[in-house]
Amino acid sequence: MTRALPVIDARASPLARYLLLAYALLVIYASLHPFSGWRDQGAGAFVFLAGALPRYITAFDLATNFAAYLPLGFFALLALHPYLRGAPALAAAGLAGCLLSVALEALQTYLPSRIPSNLDLATNGLGAFAGAALARHFGVGLLGSGKLYALRHRWFVAGHQHDLGLVLLALWLFTQLNPETLLFGNGELRGLFEPAPAALHPAEVFIQMEAAVAACNLIAVGLFLSALTQNDQPLRRMLLSLLLGALALKTVAVGVLLKAQNEFAWLTPGAFVGLACGVGVLMLVVALPRVARLALAGLLLMAATVLVNLAPENPYFANALQQWPQGYFLNFNGVTHLVSLAWPFVALFYLMLLAPRLAGERRGSPDQL
């Protein structure tokens, strides 16, 4: 017996709006990173509009600028639906991307480390319009009574707050593109403070701490997902799919961004033990009641964040990072570092907001969140 889908209304997709907001913030941060050295350099903020083309133009820069704004236009058009449709929606979404690019290029005028250019603006604008065109032809059909709507309500609990949880899960996957952290080791704050004096540790300490960080985070994120999932869905398969996606992204980060000889350099003995223990425990604890899973997820997130800040620095990994030529990926790595640092704290706050709703559902109270 199949479960009927919720009645469709004329409201815009909350998930699309949340994705648009999250992605726009990432674009803003990447465009203004490293946020230091601000000063007036004697030129107008919009002088780049009539300036000459950059002396050095690379295909990588053009492709990156285009690709960075393509999701922005895509999410913008979906967020406008159904209030604005067709060509007006495409124009509004594309122009919104262009206006954001103009503002960010103008702000880059005050950053000595950044060079604003009209070519960047043009490729950003093309990306935004291309993303909006893709959304118009393929994305809008997924909303309302389309496939995405059906999958969203078949797999996950309905409601704005659960849409926000799905966005947080997407950001957790994004953090796996940060090659600087231990496996799943988000929330490291030590870079904000003076480094502690180096100390010698036996190899067993590194293995134990890496295993604990990986296992606690894996179980916590798995329980986080389970709190958003409909009770009649194959939860364990969904958890394994999320895990495989995260490991694939970590492999890409190490192989492409860190330029490691071995793409699986992240699979240290500690990470392997943590994965094995984490998967085993997770497959058991997902049988707990939903409220208990939520509480355990919060506790494990706090424990994992403490552990990642107490874990001694692996000297071999630290040496690899010192020789890491970030090059073209400097700004992208700045974004992944920020999201990685903030994610567990934002997720904990979200779990605290979600807990009263789940407790109310357990008592049979109506949905008020």
Side-chain angles (χ1 to χ4, degrees):
M1 182 176 179
T2 59
R3 174 166 37 83
L5 293 176
V7 177
I8 302 169
D9 58 24
R11 291 180 299 177
S13 167
L15 183 57
R17 295 202 301 268
Y18 290 143
L19 287 171
L20 173 62
L21 176 61
Y23 193 80
L25 291 175
L26 293 180
V27 168
I28 292 170
Y29 186 86
S31 300
L32 301 180
H33 180 266
F35 285 90
S36 61
W38 295 85
R39 66 172 182 267
D40 187 349
Q41 301 185 72
F46 299 97
V47 70
F48 70 92
L49 291 172
L53 291 176
R55 180 176 300 179
Y56 301 104
I57 301 174
T58 66
F60 181 89
D61 288 336
L62 296 177
T64 300
N65 290 332
F66 179 87
Y69 274 71
L70 192 144
L72 189 71
F74 189 92
F75 295 142
L77 189 136
L78 294 185
L80 290 171
H81 181 82
Y83 301 129
L84 204 58
R85 304 171 186 261
L90 190 153
L95 287 174
C98 291
L99 290 175
L100 178 62
S101 180
V102 169
L104 294 176
E105 294 291 325
L107 287 173
Q108 286 180 2
T109 305
Y110 302 97
L111 284 170
S113 61
R114 307 304 299 268
I115 303 176
S117 77
N118 47 21
L119 183 61
D120 288 349
L121 172 61
T123 50
N124 291 341
L126 285 174
F129 274 100
L134 286 174
R136 180 186 176 188
H137 289 286
F138 302 105
V140 171
L142 300 175
L143 296 175
S145 58
K147 294 180 180 178
L148 183 61
Y149 180 90
L151 290 175
R152 159 69 182 84
H153 289 279
R154 184 179 303 123
W155 289 353
F156 302 104
V157 181
H160 290 216
Q161 67 284 345
H162 293 99
D163 287 330
L164 183 57
L166 293 175
V167 173
L168 287 175
L169 278 178
L171 289 173
W172 178 78
L173 287 172
F174 179 74
T175 65
Q176 306 314 309
L177 291 173
N178 180 11
E180 300 177 84
T181 62
L182 300 174
L183 181 63
F184 307 147
N186 295 322
E188 184 174 346
L189 301 173
R190 288 179 296 189
L192 303 177
F193 307 99
E194 286 291 328
L200 296 176
H201 300 277
E204 292 79 6
V205 173
F206 296 114
I207 295 175
Q208 292 167 1
M209 294 299 285
E210 286 181 350
V213 168
C216 288
N217 275 293
L218 172 57
I219 299 168
V221 172
L223 293 173
F224 187 105
L225 171 63
S226 74
L228 309 177
T229 307
Q230 296 282 6
N231 290 326
D232 57 351
Q233 290 305 305
L235 179 56
R236 289 178 174 83
R237 277 186 285 174
M238 295 173 69
L239 293 171
L240 291 176
S241 298
L242 179 68
L243 173 61
L244 291 176
L247 297 181
L249 290 173
K250 177 60 74 173
T251 302
V252 169
V254 173
V256 176
L257 301 180
L258 198 55
K259 301 185 185 300
Q261 297 296 326
N262 179 9
E263 292 83 357
F264 294 95
W266 57 265
L267 191 56
T268 61
F272 181 81
V273 172
L275 281 173
C277 295
V279 170
V281 174
L282 181 58
M283 293 300 106
L284 296 175
V285 296
V286 291
L288 294 171
R290 194 184 295 267
V291 174
R293 280 180 267 154
L294 197 72
L296 183 58
L299 289 174
L300 288 173
L301 270 179
M302 288 188 286
T305 305
V306 171
L307 287 172
V308 80
N309 285 284
L310 293 178
E313 190 174 45
N314 189 318
Y316 301 102
F317 190 63
N319 181 65
L321 289 176
Q322 287 179 355
Q323 302 178 30
W324 176 22
Q326 298 192 47
Y328 290 119
F329 298 106
L330 176 64
N331 300 319
F332 176 80
N333 293 327
V335 175
T336 59
H337 178 78
L338 173 70
V339 178
S340 174
L341 184 151
W343 192 88
F345 305 101
V346 177
L348 277 170
F349 181 72
Y350 170 78
L351 291 176
M352 288 189 292
L353 293 179
L354 190 62
R357 169 190 161 81
L358 293 183
E361 287 180 345
R362 189 177 182 184
R363 294 191 300 267
S365 63
D367 181 3
Q368 298 179 350
L369 188 59

